[in-house]
Amino acid sequence: MTGIIKVDTIQNNGGTTGLTIDSSGRVLTPARPAFNVNGIAGGNATMSGNSGPSTRFFITHNTADLNQGNCWSSSTGKFTAPIGGVYHFYATITFNGKNERWTSGGFFDDAGNSYTTNAYHGMALMDDVEGITQYAAVHPSMTILLSANDTVRVGAFSDDGDAGLWNPGNHFGGYLVG
């Protein structure tokens, strides 16, 4: 036996819409957790004392373009999973400096542990002959299964304790896949 359900909206018992289908068959899930943030709280940042992977600098972004489901906190810079599921995260971390250095960044849990080594992308900043500040960006991304209340934040590190983070070139975002 086959059946067809014809509805435009699906709601929970409390009346909150979880899914709508338009006349072309496009599905909208308006309560799906999603966020995109940018900038660095306090402007450009120097990762003082940051000398490698064991001393991460955690970035707190200051502007939310999107925070559907209120899942990202401006005070902590962390995403907190409101429900368990598969999530996708992406970031751009832009470094600046004048010295030759190795830089990297990725995603970390509440304890500061990396979620996956695949989230790291490193790049060297090379010293210009004239000493001009140069910029380099890393673009980590990951898709991961999280439990409710797991957190994700962006961290960076460099082999030079005075590497900088360029404020306009940083963002962090993610969303529930399902």
Side-chain angles (χ1 to χ4, degrees), residues 15-177:
T16 303
T17 298
L19 183 133
T20 59
I21 304 169
D22 73 7
S23 60
S24 297
R26 293 177 292 236
V27 176
L28 176 65
T29 55
R32 182 181 303 258
F35 74 104
N36 188 69
V37 297
N38 59 67
I40 299 174
N44 294 341
T46 300
M47 298 184 295
S48 297
N50 188 288
S51 60
S54 63
T55 53
R56 295 167 193 91
F57 180 88
F58 294 107
I59 302 170
T60 301
H61 298 82
N62 63 350
T63 304
D65 298 322
L66 170 68
N67 194 9
Q68 185 168 285
N70 226 8
C71 49
W72 172 78
S73 168
S74 61
S75 61
T76 65
K78 298 175 188 176
F79 166 85
T80 301
I83 61 171
V86 174
Y87 289 83
H88 179 74
F89 296 95
Y90 54 89
T92 296
I93 305 166
T94 304
F95 299 90
N96 62 4
K98 295 180 182 176
N99 300 321
E100 182 177 335
R101 64 178 56 106
W102 176 82
T103 57
S104 191
F107 302 102
F108 299 88
D109 64 14
D110 238 0
N113 299 311
S114 172
Y115 271 106
T116 171
T117 56
N118 294 331
Y120 285 104
H121 298 269
M123 182 177 286
L125 295 174
M126 303 306 291
D127 194 10
D128 190 337
V129 174
E130 299 171 12
I132 297 172
T133 298
Q134 296 186 22
Y135 300 88
V138 295
H139 307 279
S141 65
M142 73 174 181
T143 303
I144 188 169
L145 178 64
L146 296 177
S147 297
N149 298 314
D150 282 351
T151 63
V152 177
R153 58 184 167 168
V154 175
F157 53 86
S158 170
D159 65 350
D160 180 338
D162 292 322
L165 291 170
W166 188 51
N167 184 30
N170 285 273
H171 76 269
F172 172 36
Y175 53 89
L176 173 66
V177 175

